[in-house]
């Protein structure tokens, strides 16, 4: 059900679309509610209506997206899933005289990416009063006018629509006129003064009449106009326009002074009674800033900077009035055509940064949204990415793209990427824009420590001093931080029943091997120990190396530096070393 007090909403879900590597669903939901709701008012529970889990809205980065810089009129409560009003919604400002007033935007969720089109059907309330084009209307009527003569009064305009628009007119009681309410083929109403009792200029040269326009809203609103009648000799023909509706079309880059259209009318009367002057009788404030009308020629020209993206159609009414106040009007419709004057805009909606180097190909690292304010082919956009980087752009829902890995990453080879994305439209000539995304590769512990030598040998002089240095070993780990920090240790073992830990020790930080005790040449002439190099990653990686130790008689000098065994092959990880 819709929110209390609102019309029932219409919920239509489309078939789910699956676009690899994303699994994304597209659904539509529509709400009907009145304009001018207070900020914070609840329109409906969008989570419930779309079958979403309200508890996961925040984790999935649920948000309302609009095109370009258009105002966001509503938002989603990430706790409850309610769709709430965040800006004043004035139907007249948004849609003017259109019968249907529709706001559209998109609900975007991530992980996985989902896109739902939300439609708000804005219902009119009676918040505008009828307004006549002028406060005073001047009529000059010959005293010889026959009973039953009719004089049209320009219609009052009410910005509201339907029943809330002008429904009737009331004429204040007087001695000469009654009011007849007429309806045009378009459904709008206007009043005609009908002469009910002949005029006598010698008795009364001027009359003041008051007409009130009332709408059909609740509560009812009204507006008034004063009719100033001057009694003259006959002027019995009103101007007649050559067309009931004038239509014109011009591109949005039309320069100031461009002639749009010329309206013209004829009057069967002669002299002043047949001279027609033109003026705008009804037009929007936007149109008034864009166009001007020559009172004598009827030429409508451009005076403002036209922008298709701001307004694509203008409608206005022109009144033709003869020298003594008889008039008629015509409608002018001006369509603005689009040119390719807006380059695509790239928005980075989401980015996982940094990304671990062991991420598998096809991993989504970011979401890109591309928008172009132009229309038709001018807004059709193609996206591309620079070559020679292990990333691809994969088209997703509508104008969304996923930035995914396309190959293996290795932080030890490349730790940072600057990825340039280019968007180009199909206009003539095409326009394009670029955006650079900076992405770092995070280290994982994928390299074990590697000793510089495949094996080591050392000599110790008999009766050496305990604690003396025997030799040192060195291992390298190309990983970063704790993943590359090397710790040395002796592996357990025995020599002649004696643990090697009672003979030698190794410095865990430096790899220097020390004698724990004095060696007896006759007891420990030669032996081997295993040294392990382990990194500090999680889980840790390690490698071992063999150190061959030989003792010599006191006449031989103690060797302090480990040497690689001469029979070993060259270490392929350290070319040139043995």
């Amino acid at each position: 059900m819709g929110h209390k007090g609102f019309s029932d909403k219409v919920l239509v879900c489309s078939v789910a679309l699956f676009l690899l590597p994303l699994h994304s669903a597209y659904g539509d939901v529509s709400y009907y509610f009145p304009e001018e709701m207070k900020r914070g008012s609840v329109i409906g529970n969008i989570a419930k209506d779309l079958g979403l889990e309200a508890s996961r809205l925040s984790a999935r980065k649920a948000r309302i997206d609009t095109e370009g810089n258009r105002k966001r009129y509503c938002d989603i409560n990430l706790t409850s899933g309610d769709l709430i009003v965040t800006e004043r919604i004035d139907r007249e400002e948004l849609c003017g005289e259109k019968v249907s007033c529709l706001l559209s935007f998109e609900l975007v969720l991530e992980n996985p990416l989902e896109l739902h089109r939300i439609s708000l059907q804005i219902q009119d309330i009676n918040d505008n009063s009828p307004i006549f084009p002028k406060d005073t209307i001047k009529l000059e009527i010959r005293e010889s006018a026959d009973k039953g003569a009719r004089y049209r009064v320009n219609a009052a305009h009410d910005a509201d629509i339907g029943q809330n628009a002008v429904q009737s007119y009331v004429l204040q009681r007087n001695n000469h006129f009654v009011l007849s309410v007429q309806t045009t083929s378009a459904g709008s109403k206007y009043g005609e003064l009908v002469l009910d009792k002949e005029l006598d200029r010698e008795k009364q040269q001027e009359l003041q009449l008051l007409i009130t326009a009332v709408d059909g809203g609740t509560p009812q609103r009204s507006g008034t106009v004063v009719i100033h009648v001057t009694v003259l000799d006959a002027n019995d023909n009103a101007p007649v326009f050559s067309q009931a509706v004038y239509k014109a079309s011009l591109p949005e880059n039309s320069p100031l002074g461009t002639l749009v259209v010329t309206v013209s009318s004829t009057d069967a009367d002669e002299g002043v009674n047949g001279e027609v002057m033109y003026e705008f009788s009804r037009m929007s404030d936007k149109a008034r800033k864009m166009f001007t009308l020559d009172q004598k020629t009827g030429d409508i020209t451009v005076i403002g900077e036209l922008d298709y993206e701001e307004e694509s159609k203008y409608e206005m009414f022109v009144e033709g009035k003869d020298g003594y106040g008889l008039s008629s009007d015509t409608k002018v419709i001006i369509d603005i055509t689009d040119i390719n004057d807006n380059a695509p805009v790239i928005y980075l909606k989401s980015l996982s940064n940094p990304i671990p180097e062991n991420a598998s190909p096809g991993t989504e690292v970011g979401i890109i949204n591309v928008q172009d304010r132009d229309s038709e082919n001018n807004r059709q956009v193609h996206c591309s990415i620079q070559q020679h980087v292990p990333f691809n752009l994969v088209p997703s829902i509508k104008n969304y793209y996923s930035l995914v890995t396309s190959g293996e990453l290795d932080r030890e080879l490349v730790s940072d990427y600057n990825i340039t994305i280019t968007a180009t439209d199909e206009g003539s000539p095409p326009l394009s824009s670029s955006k650079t995304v900076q992405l770092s590769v995070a280290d994982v512990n994928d390299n074990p420590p590697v000793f510089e030598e495949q094996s080591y040998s050392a000599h110790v002089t008999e009766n050496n001093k305990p604690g003396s240095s025997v030799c040192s070993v060195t291992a390298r780990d190309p990983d970063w931080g704790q993943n590359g920090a090397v710790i040395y240790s002796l592996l357990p073992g025995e020599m002649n029943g004696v643990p090697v830990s009672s003979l030698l020790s190794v410095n865990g930080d430096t790899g220097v091997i020390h004698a724990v005790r004095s060696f007896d040449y006759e007891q420990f002439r030669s032996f081997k120990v295993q040294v392990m190099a382990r990194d500090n990653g999680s889980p840790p990686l390690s490698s071992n190396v063999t150190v061959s130790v030989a003792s010599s008689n006191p006449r031989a000098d103690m060797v302090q530096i480990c040497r690689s065994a001469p029979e070993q092959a060259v270490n392929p990880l350290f070319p040139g070393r043995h």
Side-chain angles (χ1 to χ4, degrees):
M1 295 295 293
H3 189 273
K4 185 178 180 181
F6 302 161
S7 298
D8 290 342
K9 61 180 179 298
V10 178
L11 175 62
V12 181
C13 292
S14 67
V15 178
L17 302 178
F18 295 91
L19 303 176
L20 295 177
L22 295 176
H23 297 277
S24 306
Y26 186 99
D28 288 349
V29 62
S30 298
Y31 293 98
Y32 294 79
F33 67 102
E35 63 176 324
E36 301 293 353
M37 289 179 64
K38 293 182 179 179
R39 290 181 176 88
S41 297
V42 176
I43 298 173
N45 191 288
I46 197 168
K48 177 181 177 182
D49 295 335
L50 288 174
L52 303 173
E53 296 181 33
S55 60
R56 296 200 63 226
L57 292 177
S58 180
R60 295 188 66 187
K61 300 180 182 178
R63 58 186 179 274
I64 298 298
D65 263 8
T66 59
E67 291 190 359
N69 296 320
R70 293 186 178 177
K71 185 181 294 185
R72 184 183 299 172
Y73 292 94
C74 61
D75 208 344
I76 183 171
N77 185 314
L78 296 180
T79 301
S80 64
D82 287 337
L83 187 67
I84 60 174
V85 176
T86 57
E87 293 287 345
R88 177 184 177 227
I89 300 177
D90 184 353
R91 190 204 64 81
E92 288 73 34
E93 179 181 347
L94 291 172
C95 302
E97 297 182 6
K98 294 179 181 178
V99 175
S100 175
C101 185
L102 187 68
L103 285 179
S104 296
F105 52 86
E106 293 166 347
L107 173 66
V108 181
L109 301 100
E110 298 180 13
N111 192 30
L113 176 64
E114 285 187 39
L115 184 65
H116 298 276
R117 183 177 179 87
I118 310 301
S119 300
L120 301 183
Q121 186 73 44
I122 313 302
Q123 296 175 321
D124 183 52
I125 65 172
N126 193 27
D127 57 343
N128 292 279
S129 299
I131 300 175
F132 286 90
K134 297 181 180 180
D135 295 331
T136 302
I137 298 176
K138 294 183 179 180
L139 290 179
E140 296 175 337
I141 303 176
R142 295 180 68 90
E143 62 178 343
S144 59
D146 295 330
K147 182 178 179 180
R150 292 173 174 264
Y151 305 92
R152 176 171 173 169
V153 178
N154 285 335
H157 173 62
D158 192 325
D160 296 319
I161 60 173
Q163 193 65 25
N164 294 330
V166 175
Q167 298 298 315
S168 184
Y169 295 85
V170 178
L171 175 64
Q172 188 179 51
R173 183 181 296 274
N174 64 90
N175 295 325
H176 293 277
F177 294 92
V178 293
L179 186 67
S180 174
V181 178
Q182 304 293 324
T183 303
T184 67
S185 58
S188 61
K189 298 180 184 296
Y190 66 93
E192 285 185 343
L193 288 175
V194 180
L195 187 60
D196 188 55
K197 179 182 179 181
E198 291 80 2
L199 300 171
D200 187 345
R201 186 174 180 275
E202 287 67 35
K203 291 184 178 180
Q204 190 174 10
Q205 296 183 1
E206 295 182 346
L207 292 85
Q208 296 281 359
L209 308 175
L210 183 68
I211 293 180
T212 301
V214 293
D215 63 23
T218 304
Q220 193 175 63
R221 291 176 176 265
S222 63
T224 60
V225 65
V226 173
I227 310 295
H228 183 88
V229 179
T230 300
V231 182
L232 299 174
D233 290 328
N235 177 30
D236 53 358
N237 289 286
V240 178
F241 280 94
S242 61
Q243 297 176 212
V245 178
Y246 291 83
K247 294 183 178 181
S249 177
L250 70 160
E252 61 178 320
N253 62 344
S254 298
L256 303 183
T258 299
L259 176 63
V260 181
V261 68
T262 300
V263 298
S264 63
S265 65
T266 57
D267 193 313
D269 295 322
E270 295 181 351
V272 175
N273 291 339
E275 294 179 0
V276 181
M277 301 292 286
Y278 304 98
E279 63 181 22
F280 288 123
S281 61
R282 193 173 82 196
M283 65 191 308
S284 67
D285 291 338
K286 286 183 180 179
R288 198 175 300 278
K289 295 176 182 178
M290 297 297 167
F291 305 100
T292 187
L293 172 64
D294 188 299
Q295 291 185 335
K296 293 183 178 180
T297 66
D299 291 343
I300 298 177
T301 55
V302 177
I303 60 171
E305 299 289 342
L306 298 172
D307 189 347
Y308 172 87
E309 287 71 42
E310 292 295 329
E311 195 73 35
S312 60
K313 176 181 287 189
Y314 294 90
E315 296 184 4
M316 59 203 73
F317 288 86
V318 175
E319 179 184 28
K321 181 185 294 185
D322 65 21
Y324 286 109
L326 294 183
S327 66
S328 63
D329 61 11
T330 187
K331 188 175 186 178
V332 178
I333 300 174
I334 303 173
D335 289 312
I336 309 301
T337 59
D338 181 50
I339 64 169
N340 193 28
D341 58 346
N342 291 280
V345 180
I346 302 172
Y347 296 95
L348 180 61
K349 293 294 186 179
S350 179
L351 182 67
S352 299
N353 193 19
I355 180 173
E357 62 179 321
N358 63 346
S360 59
T363 299
E364 180 182 274
V365 298
I367 295 175
I368 305 298
N369 177 246
V370 183
Q371 298 181 12
D372 193 312
R373 297 182 63 208
D374 294 316
S375 65
E376 297 180 354
N377 287 344
N378 294 333
R379 71 177 300 167
Q380 298 301 315
V381 179
H382 302 283
C383 283
S384 61
I385 196 171
Q386 69 184 49
Q387 300 300 319
H388 311 304
V389 292
F391 298 94
N392 278 336
L393 274 182
V394 179
S396 184
I397 302 171
K398 197 179 178 183
N399 51 354
Y400 283 84
Y401 294 80
S402 292
L403 180 63
V404 300
T405 58
S406 60
E408 301 289 344
L409 303 177
D410 190 342
R411 188 204 66 84
E412 286 72 48
L413 294 178
V414 181
S415 60
D416 293 282
Y417 291 93
N418 287 325
I419 306 167
T420 300
I421 299 170
T422 301
T424 305
D425 63 29
E426 293 185 0
S428 181
L431 299 178
S432 64
S433 61
S434 297
K435 187 177 188 67
T436 299
V437 177
Q438 296 179 338
L439 192 64
S440 297
V441 181
D443 185 55
V444 296
N445 192 26
D446 57 350
N447 292 281
V450 178
F451 285 96
E452 291 184 348
E453 308 294 348
Q454 290 186 347
S455 63
Y456 294 87
S457 63
H459 294 274
V460 182
T461 304
E462 186 179 24
N463 297 324
N464 60 294
K465 292 181 179 181
S468 60
S469 174
V470 176
C471 67
S472 65
V473 295
T474 302
R476 310 289 183 187
D477 191 322
D479 290 323
W480 182 83
Q482 292 299 313
N483 293 335
V486 178
I487 302 171
Y488 302 94
S489 62
L490 285 178
L491 292 178
E494 291 185 355
M495 176 58 190
N496 295 336
V498 177
V500 295
S501 60
S502 66
L503 302 176
L504 300 173
S505 67
V506 63
N507 187 304
D509 296 325
T510 65
V512 175
I513 299 175
H514 298 272
V516 175
R517 55 185 287 182
S518 293
F519 286 85
D520 184 341
Y521 177 76
E522 287 72 21
Q523 184 180 4
F524 301 106
R525 185 167 296 183
S526 66
F527 60 93
K528 295 182 179 181
V529 296
Q530 291 282 320
V531 178
M532 180 178 69
R534 173 180 60 82
D535 61 30
N536 211 20
S538 178
L541 301 177
S542 65
S543 60
N544 303 331
V545 73
T546 300
V547 179
S548 301
V549 182
S551 61
S552 58
N553 60 42
R555 289 172 293 185
D557 294 331
M558 183 176 67
V559 179
Q560 296 289 339
I561 300 175
C562 293
R563 294 171 297 180
S564 61
E567 69 276 6
Q568 297 297 327
V570 174
N571 188 337
L573 295 179
F574 298 92
R577 296 180 179 174
H578 296 81

